[in-house]
Amino acid sequence: MKFYKLNSAEDKNFQISWEIYEEAFPKEEKRLLSEQLELFSEPSYNATTCIDNEKIVGILFYWKLDEFYFIEHLAINRQLRGQFYGSKILTEFLKDKDNVVLEIEKITNIITQKRFDFYKRFDFYINEYRHYQIPFRKDALPLELLILSYKKRLNSEQYKSLYKNMQKALTRF
């Protein structure tokens, strides 16, 4: 498995990566293409394509926000789901990182429970803070989500610092 950072829409892996992104997330959880393209100039943002055996198997878009890594989007190519690529990508990403956070929908049905169970297997914990996603689109409203953290729960000061950094980084776009 190899990770390649996308640097522009002209990157040879961008189109397929963007199709995976578009298909995997609901409107309120993703950006418009024009907004996504602006992020390529942001040094703390990484749009990564995950390739195995010459095939794009998924995407991992994340931020480095001070001491935290914030996984914004992780998605697997629809034709390759169920082949453990999500686990492989997350395992590789987590190898040398401790302070990793991500957001998921509130657990309301079997699908959202399975999503949480997936991350729980990797030692992610639900933090009990009332958390709102920073809107990805200029016309979107905040969305209440769960904030998960890797290996340990965030204390109040860590959460406040993280959220402040998320607001600062993500509201510029």
Side-chain angles (χ1 to χ4, degrees):
M1 176 90 53
K2 295 180 181 173
F3 290 28
Y4 293 97
K5 184 175 180 191
L6 299 170
N7 294 306
S8 75
E10 284 74 44
D11 187 295
K12 68 179 183 174
N13 298 318
F14 179 78
Q15 189 56 46
I16 293 172
S17 298
W18 186 251
E19 289 169 10
I20 292 169
Y21 174 84
E22 280 286 312
E23 186 273 326
F25 299 99
K27 177 183 177 180
E28 61 274 3
E29 294 181 26
K30 62 186 175 186
R31 292 182 177 83
L32 297 172
L33 177 59
S34 60
E35 294 165 337
Q36 182 68 33
L37 296 177
E38 289 181 51
L39 289 174
F40 287 126
S41 64
E42 176 56 48
S44 60
Y45 182 76
N46 293 276
T48 308
T49 296
C50 308
I51 298 178
D52 189 35
N53 295 321
E54 313 279 323
K55 290 186 294 194
I56 296 176
V57 298
I59 60 165
L60 176 65
F61 295 179
Y62 68 94
W63 292 82
K64 178 68 172 99
L65 303 172
D66 287 338
E67 78 264 25
F68 291 99
Y69 290 89
F70 167 50
I71 297 175
E72 188 175 88
H73 293 98
L74 169 62
I76 305 305
N77 185 323
R78 183 185 350 183
Q79 291 83 24
L80 301 173
R81 290 182 188 155
Q83 297 180 35
F84 303 101
Y85 282 115
S87 294
K88 291 175 187 176
I89 290 167
L90 200 53
T91 297
E92 185 66 29
F93 181 75
L94 294 172
K95 267 186 187 176
D96 59 350
K97 297 170 185 68
D98 286 321
N99 292 325
V100 179
V101 295
L102 57 90
E103 300 164 323
I104 62 170
E105 299 94 339
K106 293 171 85 174
I107 301 168
T108 58
N109 57 40
I110 292 171
I111 293 170
T112 54
Q113 182 65 54
K114 284 183 178 184
R115 188 167 295 122
F116 170 67
D117 291 344
F118 170 78
Y119 289 112
K120 186 177 177 182
R121 287 193 301 272
F122 288 90
D123 289 329
F124 278 89
Y125 294 88
I126 295 175
N127 289 274
E128 300 299 326
Y129 303 105
R130 191 155 194 185
H131 176 78
Y132 291 90
Q133 175 191 58
I134 309 300
F136 287 118
R137 299 175 107 120
K138 291 177 170 89
D139 64 343
L141 297 173
L143 177 66
E144 187 172 0
L145 297 174
L146 298 174
I147 185 90
L148 305 184
S149 54
Y150 181 53
K151 292 186 180 177
K152 61 187 181 293
R153 287 184 175 86
L154 303 175
N155 66 40
S156 179
E157 290 306 310
Q158 289 172 312
Y159 176 74
K160 288 176 187 172
S161 174
L162 169 66
Y163 198 74
K164 182 179 172 184
N165 286 328
M166 290 170 78
Q167 286 177 311
K168 184 175 152 186
L170 281 69
T171 55
R172 291 185 295 176
F173 298 96

